[in-house]
Amino acid sequence: MGDVAMSVPVVRALTQQYPDLKVTVVTRKFFKPFFRGLKNVTVFEADLKGKHKGILGLYKLSKELKILKFDTVADIHNVLRTKILKFFIGGNFKQIDKGRNEKKALVSGEIFQQLKTTPQRYADVFEALGFPIDLSNPSFTEKVSLNEKLRNFISNKDLPIIGIAPFAAFEGKMYPLEQMKLVINQLSKTNNIILFGGGNSEVLQLNQIEAQTPNTKTVAGKLSLDEELDLIPNLDVMLAMDSGNAHMAAMLGVKVVTIWGVTHPFAGFAPFNQPKDYALVADRNQYPKIPTSIYGNKQPEGYENAAGSVSVDAVVKKIGDVLDA
């Protein structure tokens, strides 16, 4: 999800800076709402679990895409599926350089420095096709008026609205839930809190937090993706892990504060267009091997709660500073 969300501001910049271009984004049906409102952008739904599954399915996909008579292909994913598509499609097909060797050096401890960001790597692909993009002054879609259903998630209309997404794909990227509850409890005294998440276990935990905390509502399991994309731009700030929710908020122009565990912004996956100090990273004096992996799926013993080295007070203070900025 995060990779797709990070592509949205790049595609928006591409179509704004080259208004005569017609762009077809090939992605899963679930992600189609991400690209709503982008001019000259059409989403082609890849059914990777159905008719486009496997090599034969990818061949069918390539035949369907060729009917569109596109001039060039920008592969900003560069995985086995897209490599197979490159073989079937041919032509002017440029692929992203993911910087795998640099990232390997980062997690092995050979280097510790900022690598190129993922959105810039996406932009590099379009430049290779002859369309250099300037990402330094991005624009975002305007807020939509909230309907009655969405307004009901805002407890007190006179208070700022903070979105909080406490979960991540891997445990090593998560802020300890008991510490997050303390953060939510402090922030809820003077702010609206809207909790984001998904999955039965997350929904249950978020519902429990809602029941125990004033000015707090959870949208988990209650809204469609389209509805979440209507609600998120109305946040004053989003607090999230290194996760898809952080990137969704960033692609919509929302201020995003992130908490990092065993991963690190140096790998290039910080939310788009956010100040560096909005990323609260784990204490590398206590956890010197960070980042232990790029995606958070690998961690040494004892690093499970690395994100917890960021204090509750530090998180609350950062949110307050961002709201006051």
Side-chain angles (χ1 to χ4, degrees):
M1 179 183 290
D3 288 346
V4 181
M6 280 188 284
S7 75
V8 174
V10 181
V11 175
R12 181 183 291 111
L14 174 70
T15 56
Q16 288 175 339
Q17 294 169 33
Y18 300 94
D20 293 332
L21 277 183
K22 292 184 178 180
V23 177
T24 299
V25 176
V26 182
T27 190
R28 299 174 189 267
K29 180 180 180 179
F30 177 81
F31 297 121
K32 186 174 182 178
F34 281 15
F35 299 91
R36 66 184 194 179
L38 297 189
K39 293 183 179 180
N40 294 336
V41 175
T42 303
V43 173
F44 187 101
E45 298 173 12
D47 183 8
L48 299 176
K49 293 185 177 180
K51 65 176 180 177
H52 299 140
K53 181 179 180 180
I55 294 179
L56 180 59
L58 291 174
Y59 178 71
K60 292 178 181 177
L61 176 59
S62 71
K63 300 290 283 185
E64 293 172 25
L65 291 174
K66 283 184 176 181
I67 295 174
L68 303 178
K69 297 182 180 180
F70 44 77
D71 298 298
T72 60
V73 179
D75 174 12
I76 60 173
H77 202 25
N78 197 356
V79 294
L80 181 58
R81 284 194 186 102
T82 58
K83 289 176 180 177
I84 294 172
L85 275 177
K86 178 182 179 181
F87 175 77
F88 288 144
I89 292 175
N92 193 14
F93 198 116
K94 301 295 184 182
Q95 292 178 301
I96 187 174
D97 175 6
K98 289 189 170 182
R100 290 186 174 95
N101 290 336
E102 302 165 62
K103 291 173 181 175
K104 184 177 179 180
L106 182 66
V107 299
S108 69
E110 293 178 36
I111 62 171
F112 185 66
Q113 63 190 43
Q114 180 65 59
L115 304 184
K116 185 178 292 187
T117 69
T118 299
Q120 185 57 54
R121 291 185 186 278
Y122 293 162
D124 289 348
V125 182
F126 294 111
E127 182 173 3
L129 291 169
F131 304 102
I133 306 170
D134 181 3
L135 297 177
S136 63
N137 188 29
S139 62
F140 302 95
T141 54
E142 295 184 3
K143 298 179 183 179
V144 300
S145 298
L146 297 182
N147 60 30
E148 183 177 357
K149 177 181 178 181
L150 298 181
R151 288 197 300 270
N152 286 335
F153 289 100
I154 302 172
S155 300
N156 188 328
K157 308 299 188 294
D158 297 323
L159 298 178
I161 307 171
I162 301 172
I164 299 182
F167 300 103
F170 299 103
E171 181 182 351
K173 297 203 294 185
M174 271 185 57
Y175 196 55
L177 193 58
E178 290 307 309
Q179 286 177 251
M180 182 59 81
K181 288 179 181 178
L182 295 175
V183 170
I184 294 170
N185 186 59
Q186 288 195 41
L187 292 174
S188 68
K189 295 175 182 178
T190 53
N191 302 277
N192 290 290
I193 306 296
I194 301 179
L195 303 175
F196 293 81
N200 293 335
S201 175
E202 293 183 12
V203 170
L204 179 62
Q205 294 177 82
L206 294 177
N207 283 338
Q208 291 174 344
I209 294 173
E210 176 185 340
Q212 299 166 359
T213 316
N215 296 324
T216 300
K217 301 284 188 179
T218 176
V219 302
K222 300 175 183 177
L223 298 182
S224 67
L225 180 57
D226 264 307
E227 290 172 323
E228 286 196 22
L229 295 177
D230 286 342
L231 181 60
I232 289 174
N234 290 274
L235 303 177
D236 293 289
V237 61
M238 170 72 88
L239 172 63
M241 309 300 101
D242 170 17
S243 67
N245 281 292
H247 297 297
M248 283 174 57
M251 81 179 191
L252 295 168
V254 175
K255 296 176 181 179
V256 182
V257 173
T258 44
I259 304 175
W260 299 72
V262 297
T263 56
H264 195 280
F266 277 4
F269 292 99
F272 178 72
N273 197 46
Q274 304 296 319
K276 292 180 180 179
D277 66 333
Y278 283 17
L280 304 177
V281 298
D283 185 351
R284 291 189 78 246
N285 292 320
Q286 187 176 354
Y287 299 100
K289 295 180 181 180
I290 287 174
T292 66
S293 68
I294 297 300
Y295 302 109
N297 56 332
K298 298 177 182 178
Q299 59 189 22
E301 184 177 353
Y303 277 58
E304 294 82 359
N305 292 321
S309 62
V310 179
S311 71
V312 169
D313 287 344
V315 178
V316 173
K317 182 179 185 303
K318 176 57 68 176
I319 294 295
D321 290 345
V322 172
L323 289 174
D324 291 339

